[in-house]
Amino acid sequence: MTSIDWAKVRADFPILAQQVNGRPLLYLDNAASSQKPRAVIESLVNYYERDNANVHRGLHELSSRATDAFEGARTKIARYLGAESAEQIIFTRGTTEGINLVANTWGVANLKAGDVILLTEMEHHSNLVPWQLLAERTGAKLRFVPVADDGTLAFEPALLEGVKLFAFVHVSNSLGTINPAADLCRAARAAGAVTLVDGAQSTGHMPVNVREIGCDFYAFSGHKICAPTGIGALYGRLELLEKMPPWHGGGEMIVSVTYERATYKQPPHKFEAGTPNIADAVGLGAAIDYLEAIGRQNIFDHDAELTARAVHHLAEIPGVRVLGPQKSRGALAAFHAEWAHPHDLTTFANEHGLALRGGHHCTQPLMRKMKLPGTTRASFYFYNTLDEVDRMAEILRAAHRFFA
Ligand code: C6P
């Protein structure tokens, strides 16, 4: 048991205290996007009311305050991820942009026809389509680690033969599987492959340390960890970042420019062309402070309790099959109900104030492999309560009576 006062924590989230369709809002779509605590909302207001200016440019008070706040957020992210230094943290719009950045810089510079990119069958489109585009451009080939019936990866080292890059999801947004990231990176390193971890569903939910994982790149989105939308970060091993060409060109990323050519700054600035999303980076820093005050292990334990209770309830509803592994599961429970399409079920839930997600969850190839039109997904965060999980189960039992 932890000493966290979860009711007090929940009260930090103003949006949760509302009615939807005449019922108390029951927000269980956290894997899509998390809610924001007052501390994060206030950090944006404070930034715009006191410090707003462009960064790294003007030699005036507001510009240096904005720069300090922006670079301070970078330092917080580096510490939060266990990076060696803030230079390894590139601000992005989110996980999708981080992965595209690696594909368009490291990928374009290092891959050639016949090279193999290893992915898994459970990847989100964000960690699939950028590699498809890169394969088309370079002639590299895609290979996939199969997903076994229990929702875990059927990984074997032989799959790494000829592989230049192994990119995989840390926690699956469709199955909830927590992949053994450190073991996979160790095997990849032994085979000489570079690794990228999609941390969209892990970063705010569990202790994450990029050095312990041993990955070369790690991408995440702020909006899933209590920060604003439109901001995220990519961690990269400095040795690789230094050799990578820039992606976008423009102001902020250059040292010197002639009409013919330009020289570039060192990482991370080489990868941050143009005026960055300063306010939301500051908001991401505030979100990290907030999460750290609660403690990532506490968040993981609380999420795990909610998820276990949800899985237990769902398994008791006739005709419902919960997907993904029984153990080592992230903060979500996706299921197939044989008596209702996911869209009908989520519409029914919404009428009761319950926010679920129904559909393919941007993992169409995985749904096709599982021969499902989609699934219904409940996803949790630390401000959810066991009482809410029980209410979700009541609503889904009512849905079963309605549809079956
Ligand atoms: N998954 C979900 O409801 P962006 O859109 O860049 O913030 O994150 C993309 C992304 C990448 N990888 C994984 C594992 C993800 O879950 C997501 C976002 C949301 O599951 C929206 S589809």
Side-chain angles (χ1 to χ4, degrees), residues 29-33 93-99 122-127 169-174 198-202 219-224 230-231 332 357 360-363 377 379:
D29 194 17
N30 295 288
S33 201
R93 283 189 295 143
T95 310
T96 305
E97 191 173 73
I99 296 170
M122 63 171 79
E123 296 313 313
H124 187 280
H125 298 163
S126 292
N127 199 26
V169 70
H170 197 178
V171 174
S172 160
N173 68 318
S174 290
D198 170 348
Q201 300 293 347
S202 49
F220 76 94
S221 303
H223 71 97
K224 293 188 199 285
I231 190 76
L332 61 95
R357 183 167 180 199
H360 53 64
H361 313 294
C362 298
T363 53
R377 185 185 72 187
S379 53

Side-chain angles (χ1 to χ4, degrees), residues 201-224:
Q201 300 293 347
S202 49
T203 310
H205 288 273
M206 57 205 272
V208 166
N209 183 304
V210 287
R211 272 185 287 174
E212 283 168 17
I213 292 173
C215 54
D216 295 303
F217 298 105
Y218 184 96
F220 76 94
S221 303
H223 71 97
K224 293 188 199 285

Side-chain angles (χ1 to χ4, degrees), residues 232-276:
L234 172 74
Y235 156 87
R237 203 147 58 74
L238 204 51
E239 209 182 305
L240 297 181
L241 294 180
E242 278 166 354
K243 288 193 202 127
M244 279 154 52
W247 182 21
H248 296 147
E252 296 280 339
M253 48 81 76
I254 50 82
V255 174
S256 137
V257 184
T258 65
Y259 282 117
E260 287 74 30
R261 55 184 51 88
T263 55
Y264 314 120
K265 284 185 179 160
Q266 290 300 308
H269 304 293
K270 175 166 73 172
F271 303 105
E272 294 178 356
T275 300

Side-chain angles (χ1 to χ4, degrees), residues 120-302:
T120 84
E121 286 181 343
M122 63 171 79
E123 296 313 313
H124 187 280
H125 298 163
S126 292
N127 199 26
L128 171 58
V129 181
W131 307 118
Q132 292 174 344
L133 291 168
L134 181 65
E136 271 170 33
R137 193 164 160 189
T138 59
K141 290 181 291 196
L142 302 181
R143 184 183 294 159
F144 295 89
V145 180
V147 173
D149 288 345
D150 67 355
T152 60
L153 287 179
F155 173 79
E156 34 181 293
L159 285 164
L160 282 162
E161 212 180 297
V163 167
K164 281 276 174 68
L165 175 92
F166 182 18
F168 61 89
V169 70
H170 197 178
V171 174
S172 160
N173 68 318
S174 290
L175 300 170
T177 318
I178 302 178
N179 288 317
D183 295 345
L184 295 175
C185 288
R186 198 173 307 115
R189 208 165 39 250
V194 162
T195 48
L196 179 145
V197 178
D198 170 348
Q201 300 293 347
S202 49
T203 310
H205 288 273
M206 57 205 272
V208 166
N209 183 304
V210 287
R211 272 185 287 174
E212 283 168 17
I213 292 173
C215 54
D216 295 303
F217 298 105
Y218 184 96
F220 76 94
S221 303
H223 71 97
K224 293 188 199 285
I225 69 162
C226 294
T229 49
I231 190 76
L234 172 74
Y235 156 87
R237 203 147 58 74
L238 204 51
E239 209 182 305
L240 297 181
L241 294 180
E242 278 166 354
K243 288 193 202 127
M244 279 154 52
W247 182 21
H248 296 147
E252 296 280 339
M253 48 81 76
I254 50 82
V255 174
S256 137
V257 184
T258 65
Y259 282 117
E260 287 74 30
R261 55 184 51 88
T263 55
Y264 314 120
K265 284 185 179 160
Q266 290 300 308
H269 304 293
K270 175 166 73 172
F271 303 105
E272 294 178 356
T275 300
N277 184 355
I278 309 162
D280 293 324
V282 173
L284 176 52
I288 285 176
D289 287 344
Y290 184 83
L291 295 179
E292 288 200 316
I294 299 173
R296 281 180 276 179
Q297 190 60 46
N298 291 333
I299 292 172
F300 180 79
D301 293 345
H302 186 75

